[in-house]
Structures are given as C-alpha cells and as structure tokens.
Amino acid sequence: MAIKIGILGYGNLAKGIECAIKQNDDMELVAVFTRRAPESVKVWSGVPVYSVDELENKKNEIDVLMLCGGSATDLPEQTPKYAKFFNVVDSFDTHARIPEHFANVDAAAKAAGKVAMISVGWDPGMFSLNRLYANAILRDGNDYTFWGKGVSQGHSDAIRRIKGVKNAKQYTIPVDAALASVRACENPELTTRQKHTRECFVVAEEGADLAKIENEIKTMPNYFADYDTTVHFITEEELLRDHAGIPHGGFVLRTGKTGREGEHNHVIEYSLKLDSNPEFTACVLVAYARAAYRMNQRGITGCKTVFDVAPADLSPLSGEEMRAHLL
Amino acid sequence: MAIKIGILGYGNLAKGIECAIKQNDDMELVAVFTRRAPESVKVWSGVPVYSVDELENKKNEIDVLMLCGGSATDLPEQTPKYAKFFNVVDSFDTHARIPEHFANVDAAAKAAGKVAMISVGWDPGMFSLNRLYANAILRDGNDYTFWGKGVSQGHSDAIRRIKGVKNAKQYTIPVDAALASVRACENPELTTRQKHTRECFVVAEEGADLAKIENEIKTMPNYFADYDTTVHFITEEELLRDHAGIPHGGFVLRTGKTGREGEHNHVIEYSLKLDSNPEFTACVLVAYARAAYRMNQRGITGCKTVFDVAPADLSPLSGEEMRAHLL
C-alpha cells in the first residue's frame, strides 16, 4: 500500500514534490489543495485539485500533507493548523524563529497524535544534519557554511524593487580563497566580505540611469553593502536565455583536532551542487514524508526535525537490504 | 553523571578512543581490558588496566564497552560474547560478513536487553550514512565511493611479505579525472584501474633484487595487478621520517536527476581528509557510544547500525540547543 500524499500549494516546491513522488514507488500523490480557484490550477500529474477549504474533509484519504507555503506568513499559521489533522512536512527556513515554530507545531501535533516534520530541505535540513554529525565527531573544531554558487530569490527581489530596474537575478558565490583556507585547516576567522561575493544581472528600463542603479545596489544595507558586488547590465532576452534556472548549493565544513596534543587535523566536508533548488528540496521533503508516516505508524507523535529521524526511516529499502548494499 | 566507558584492547583505535573521551565532558573512561598481562600495558590516561577475564565482574561499573579488536577473528567472537553483559560498540568492517555478524550480535543483545552498535567508523559508518541519505533523496542516480589519499594497512602488509622487503607503506590515491567526471554528472562506468592508483614506498633488504620486488608488487593479484602502481625504493630513515602517519579519507558522491523529463542534475558529495585514520574512527565510535547508552536507557535493545540512530542521540547538546544553533 503506497503512502498517500497531499500537497498544499502549487508553486515551484510543490511541482518538485509532484516530480519526486513519481520516483518513489511506495508513494502516491492523491491531491493538490490550493487557495486559488481549483479550476484555475492545472497540475502536471493530473491529480484532482481541491480548494484548501476541503482539506479537513480529506483527512482520512491522506497519510502525509506536504506544506509548500512560505516561511514568512504561510507556514507559521499552516503547520500548526494542519498538524491537527495530518502528518505534515514543511520547509520552514527562518532559522531565528525555529524554536517558536517548533513549540507551536509540537503542541498541535501531540494533541492530535500526528507527526509534524519541520524545517526540512537542505539548509535547514541536510546542511544542519552535517553540522550535527560533524560536531558530534570532531568535538574540538570549527564550523563553516558557504552558500552557492546559486540564485538568491531575496536578493534578486531586492534589486527588482530599485527604480529603473525591470528584472534582475542575483548569484551568491563562495570565495575560493576562503574555502581553500578552511580546507587547509587554517581555521580562519572570516568576515562576511571574505566568505561570499555577489553577482547581479540586471535588466534596466529604457533610459534609466545605470550608474545610479549600480550604486544603489552596491550600497544597499544588509543585502549588498557588506559584500564585493558585481553588476552586469544585460537585455531581457539575455536574462531569459542565460539566467532562467534556479541553481544553488553550497558547502558545510568542520575542521577539528584529535590526538594527545591535538596534533592531528581532520576535515569533514559536505557539498551540494544543484541544478534546481526547489526540485532538490522537494526530494528531501518526500524522503522525510516517508519517515513521518513510518514514525507515526509506530505511535510517535509531535514536532520533529531532521535531527530526530533515524536514517533508515528515509529509505524504501528494508533493514536487510540497507545493511547488505549501503553499509 | 558521566557515561562510563570501558575499552577492550589497547591498539591504535583504543588509544584514539582514550583521546576522544577527553574531548567529551559527559563521558568518562573507567578501565582498559587486555588479553596481555595487565601490568605490561601502560595506558596514557592512567586508568586501571584489567585482564579481559575480569570483564564480566565489572558489568555494573561500565555503561558502554568499546570493542577494539580486528574484524577477521576478534569481533565475530567478542561482539556477541560481550553484548550479553554490556552495551557495546564495534567497528566491524568486513562488508560481506555484516549480515551474519548482525544476526549473531542481535540475538545476544536482545536476550541480554542491551544495545550493540556494529560497523561504526567512517567506512562502514559515515560513508554508509551518506550513501543512504543520498539514495533516499536522489532516487534516480548513481553512487560512487573513492578512498584516499591514505594508507592501506592490508596492502602495506602484502608488500612486506615479499622476499627482500624490509618495510613498506602503501597509499591508495583516487584518480582526479574520474572524480572530475563524476562531479560533472557524466555518470561514468569506471573500472578498478580508472578509480584509484597505488603508490608504494619500499625499504629493501641489502642486496635484494629491486627489479624483482617491483615486478612482484605490480603483478600481485587482487592487491595490485588491476591498478596502475608506482614503486619507490627509499631508506628506512626516509620511511620513518616521511611516512610515519596513518592518514586516510575519501569521497562519497551521488549524482541524480530530477524534473519532469529528468532535465536537472544534482551532485551530493561527502568527503573526509584525515591526518589519523584510527583517531577519527575513534571519535565516531565515541559519539555512537553516547547513542547506544541513551537508546538503551529508553528501553531499546538489539543490534543497531548507524542507519538506526537518530542524529540527535549522537550530540551532547539538548534538543533546544541543537535546534537553536545547528538547524
């Protein structure tokens, strides 16, 4: 019997989940739920589309509900709300507000006897896991996380809000020299500027003052002022042709010392190079949906993160198969 | 109350565990057990040394026993034997015999109400975990594991058995071009020769036939014949000066496709660069000792692998601390 999955929302992440489920024989997408008019939403896989108002009526038809809203306003409301009816998985990624989100979701999920898996994806998610494993192993050491090369939606949006800008795409790029220093166990203390550069591809309105736009970008507080930023003005055609993708990725490193005198250095490195940020994130969510379902079947309830999930629960393989082929 | 650790054996791995425990405030080494005459074993940390025959008498004084024997003959006997009295951790690394070892240990640990954590380290261990996570996420893809640059004890021993060889050290080295092809998502099918090269540093007896030794190494079945092998003859002084360490490491990669037409490629890469193979392995074992103790405190029993352990159980941090600082 396949695990029955529902999706709330139909943006890039939801579309990625739709594709990921097709790669997993033990899962089945049963419906998409939307806040829009259901008849206006055409879904690739052809599953039924229902109004979000129908969700509670479908609680016996769905094993795990994937919440594909945003972290700013959607998930803080949706995850506790739907954990009352479903095992849920979300990708809540506002790091500073995770403790508060956890508490709200935990209360709802425990009361309902459900598992609610929050902050799943790659950061938070796989990067967090790698920070935890590496810290548990190398107790005397330093952590480093680099992001990119990849598209930052927030920074791209910030550029688009500048007067005279028609469209824009911003790439976050790790600085090679900083990565090299970390890998060489030099334990550098890195400033914001030393870790990442920012590269912007900007389509200006006709007649706009390019020098003024460039200056506004480079001096924008929080977003760009603390970074070495490069601005390229290109045409709309070039933007669509060369910068249509949503790639991302990054590096998590921990270096640490062992031995009687701390005489031995070690480097643990995890990296991702992703053609599609939302599709990869979706794959992680689907694996954790399997775990949420299995854990709830064993009587586990409450809010969980990637830290609480035994790796075996993510895999469709049996224990015997895993030990024989992956261990 | 610190977790009380015992160690059986006092070779390189045990010495690494002794150092690793010093880095963990919540753990305490209480004794070393040996098959040698206890008074002949001087331990760095100064804890008591007992005969292995004393082990069963100490069962109430030790929370987790670390088994530091070899996989060929020690652990198949020791792990089931001592799982009858202790939570145990071993580094059993004969991949092909893991299912059999698991079955034997599971029966003993379940009957005794203990947790027995087997095949802990980095391969099997952290590399296995990364294979499992990456396979659960990227369902349509390919796995690659490369080892090195590092010292292979088995290959060094094989060279030492050749007539005319006084001493030797062998390094396993991944082929850069193969790694580059994997990272580029070319999904290469790699032969043994294409994945790794072998570099040997050999001290010959006086008057030995160097050409004959070199030929014997390069044509040795299983060990060297399938690889491009380089042999350097050096002096004993050079060997001790330049090749005294036990470095190792390697790379686990999975590449896979997502999207409606499999149009997006992704690369997940995990790598280790270790100055001391046994000391790093020891750090992993100590983290899993913490998990074995905690799981047993919760009433869990039986044989477990890294696949069965929720990451949170490895960390000395509380759930709140982990979510606030690592997620």
Side-chain angles (χ1 to χ4, degrees):
Chain A
M1 274 265 294
I3 301 170
K4 297 189 290 294
I5 306 287
I7 301 176
L8 174 55
Y10 198 63
N12 285 333
L13 180 61
K15 289 171 187 171
I17 291 172
E18 195 178 21
C19 291
I21 290 171
K22 294 266 188 209
Q23 295 184 328
N24 287 278
D25 293 341
D26 62 338
M27 301 200 168
E28 181 193 356
L29 178 61
V30 297
V32 168
F33 297 86
T34 180
R35 290 178 290 191
R36 292 179 268 169
E39 64 277 11
S40 72
V41 178
K42 293 279 162 281
V43 302
W44 171 67
S45 58
V47 299
V49 181
Y50 299 111
S51 162
V52 65
D53 302 328
E54 292 293 313
L55 252 173
E56 294 170 31
N57 301 330
K58 303 283 181 188
K59 75 191 183 93
N60 296 324
E61 295 163 41
I62 288 167
D63 295 317
V64 186
L65 180 66
M66 316 297 280
L67 301 173
C68 297
S71 295
T73 56
D74 297 333
L75 297 175
E77 183 214 318
Q78 290 175 350
T79 313
K81 177 171 177 184
Y82 294 112
K84 289 181 191 151
F85 304 99
F86 302 96
N87 298 311
V88 297
V89 180
D90 83 18
S91 62
F92 186 79
D93 66 358
T94 311
H95 289 262
R97 295 186 59 197
I98 287 174
E100 171 193 348
H101 188 56
F102 183 92
N104 292 339
V105 173
D106 194 45
K110 278 205 177 118
K114 299 294 184 185
V115 166
M117 200 75 75
I118 64 160
S119 301
V120 178
W122 59 273
D123 197 3
M126 298 311 297
F127 274 20
S128 322
L129 271 182
N130 277 280
R131 287 187 283 262
L132 175 56
Y133 277 116
N135 273 270
I137 295 168
L138 293 177
R139 301 290 298 134
D140 180 12
N142 289 298
D143 293 303
Y144 298 90
T145 301
F146 293 84
W147 294 274
K149 181 180 177 175
V151 172
S152 164
Q153 215 54 57
H155 288 77
S156 301
D157 291 344
I159 299 171
R160 283 192 209 102
R161 286 191 294 264
I162 293 173
K163 191 163 176 289
V165 171
K166 199 172 161 196
N167 206 343
K169 202 107 179 202
Q170 193 269 183
Y171 295 92
T172 306
I173 305 169
V175 175
D176 283 338
L179 261 170
S181 172
V182 171
R183 288 181 183 135
C185 296
E186 293 170 355
N187 295 302
E189 292 198 23
L190 298 164
T191 63
T192 298
R193 191 177 301 275
Q194 287 169 325
K195 287 187 73 184
H196 297 94
T197 57
R198 298 196 176 278
E199 189 169 22
C200 314
F201 293 86
V202 181
V203 181
E205 309 272 9
E206 218 179 295
D209 182 341
L210 302 190
K212 188 158 174 286
I213 290 172
E214 180 165 346
N215 185 61
E216 272 196 61
I217 294 172
K218 289 185 172 180
T219 58
M220 196 185 296
N222 303 319
Y223 285 87
F224 294 98
D226 297 334
Y227 298 84
D228 290 337
T229 301
T230 314
V231 177
H232 308 276
F233 289 98
I234 60 174
T235 65
E236 183 93 54
E237 293 72 45
E238 287 170 323
L239 191 82
L240 296 176
R241 185 192 66 205
D242 303 332
H243 305 282
I246 321 176
H248 219 313
F251 305 80
V252 174
L253 298 109
R254 184 167 173 86
T255 59
K257 294 176 178 306
T258 65
R260 293 180 181 178
E261 312 285 340
E263 67 272 30
H264 293 131
N265 285 301
H266 306 273
V267 184
I268 304 175
E269 176 168 347
Y270 179 81
S271 68
L272 296 173
K273 192 159 149 274
L274 313 175
D275 274 359
S276 166
N277 182 352
E279 286 178 11
F280 184 84
T281 301
C283 290
V284 182
L285 265 72
V286 166
Y288 278 90
R290 176 182 291 120
Y293 174 75
R294 289 181 178 174
M295 290 167 76
N296 190 244
Q297 290 289 102
R298 295 201 299 270
I300 294 170
T301 65
C303 188
K304 303 293 168 190
T305 74
V306 293
F307 297 156
D308 305 306
V309 177
D313 275 329
L314 301 171
S315 172
L317 300 181
S318 70
E320 289 75 13
E321 289 171 317
M322 273 183 256
R323 287 190 293 274
H325 302 300
L326 296 171
L327 196 62
Chain B
M1 276 266 294
I3 302 170
K4 296 189 290 295
I5 306 287
I7 301 177
L8 175 55
Y10 197 63
N12 285 333
L13 180 60
K15 289 170 186 170
I17 291 173
E18 196 178 19
C19 292
I21 290 172
K22 294 265 189 209
Q23 295 183 329
N24 287 278
D25 293 342
D26 62 338
M27 300 200 170
E28 181 193 356
L29 178 61
V30 297
V32 168
F33 297 85
T34 179
R35 289 178 292 189
R36 291 179 269 169
E39 62 278 11
S40 73
V41 179
K42 294 281 162 279
V43 303
W44 171 67
S45 58
V47 300
V49 181
Y50 299 111
S51 162
V52 66
D53 302 328
E54 292 293 312
L55 252 174
E56 294 170 29
N57 301 330
K58 303 284 182 190
K59 72 190 185 96
N60 296 324
E61 294 162 43
I62 288 167
D63 295 317
V64 186
L65 181 66
M66 315 296 280
L67 302 173
C68 297
S71 296
T73 56
D74 298 334
L75 297 175
E77 185 214 316
Q78 290 176 348
T79 312
K81 178 173 178 182
Y82 295 112
K84 289 180 190 152
F85 305 99
F86 301 96
N87 298 310
V88 297
V89 180
D90 83 18
S91 63
F92 186 79
D93 66 359
T94 310
H95 290 261
R97 296 185 59 196
I98 287 174
E100 172 193 347
H101 188 55
F102 183 92
N104 292 338
V105 173
D106 194 45
K110 279 205 177 119
K114 300 293 183 185
V115 166
M117 201 75 75
I118 65 160
S119 301
V120 179
W122 59 273
D123 196 3
M126 298 311 297
F127 275 20
S128 322
L129 271 181
N130 277 280
R131 286 186 283 261
L132 175 55
Y133 278 117
N135 273 271
I137 295 168
L138 292 178
R139 301 290 299 135
D140 180 12
N142 289 298
D143 292 304
Y144 297 90
T145 301
F146 293 84
W147 294 275
K149 180 181 176 175
V151 172
S152 165
Q153 214 56 56
H155 288 78
S156 301
D157 290 345
I159 299 172
R160 283 190 209 103
R161 286 192 294 264
I162 293 173
K163 192 165 176 290
V165 170
K166 200 174 161 193
N167 206 342
K169 203 111 178 199
Q170 192 270 182
Y171 296 92
T172 306
I173 305 169
V175 175
D176 283 339
L179 262 170
S181 173
V182 171
R183 289 181 182 134
C185 296
E186 293 169 357
N187 295 303
E189 292 198 22
L190 298 164
T191 63
T192 299
R193 191 177 300 275
Q194 287 170 323
K195 287 187 73 183
H196 298 93
T197 57
R198 298 197 177 277
E199 190 170 22
C200 313
F201 293 86
V202 181
V203 181
E205 309 272 8
E206 219 179 293
D209 182 342
L210 303 190
K212 189 159 174 283
I213 291 173
E214 179 165 345
N215 185 60
E216 273 196 57
I217 294 173
K218 290 186 172 178
T219 58
M220 196 185 296
N222 303 319
Y223 285 87
F224 294 99
D226 297 334
Y227 299 85
D228 289 338
T229 301
T230 315
V231 177
H232 309 277
F233 289 98
I234 61 174
T235 65
E236 183 94 54
E237 294 71 47
E238 287 170 324
L239 190 82
L240 295 175
R241 186 191 67 206
D242 303 333
H243 304 283
I246 320 175
H248 220 313
F251 304 81
V252 175
L253 299 108
R254 186 168 172 86
T255 58
K257 295 177 177 304
T258 66
R260 293 180 181 178
E261 312 284 340
E263 67 271 31
H264 293 129
N265 285 300
H266 306 272
V267 184
I268 303 176
E269 177 169 346
Y270 179 80
S271 68
L272 296 173
K273 193 162 147 271
L274 313 174
D275 274 359
S276 166
N277 183 353
E279 287 179 8
F280 184 84
T281 302
C283 291
V284 181
L285 265 73
V286 166
Y288 278 91
R290 177 182 290 119
Y293 174 74
R294 290 182 178 172
M295 290 167 77
N296 191 242
Q297 290 288 105
R298 296 201 299 269
I300 294 170
T301 65
C303 188
K304 304 292 169 190
T305 75
V306 294
F307 298 156
D308 304 308
V309 178
D313 274 329
L314 301 171
S315 172
L317 301 180
S318 70
E320 290 75 13
E321 288 170 318
M322 273 182 258
R323 287 190 293 273
H325 302 300
L326 295 171
L327 196 63

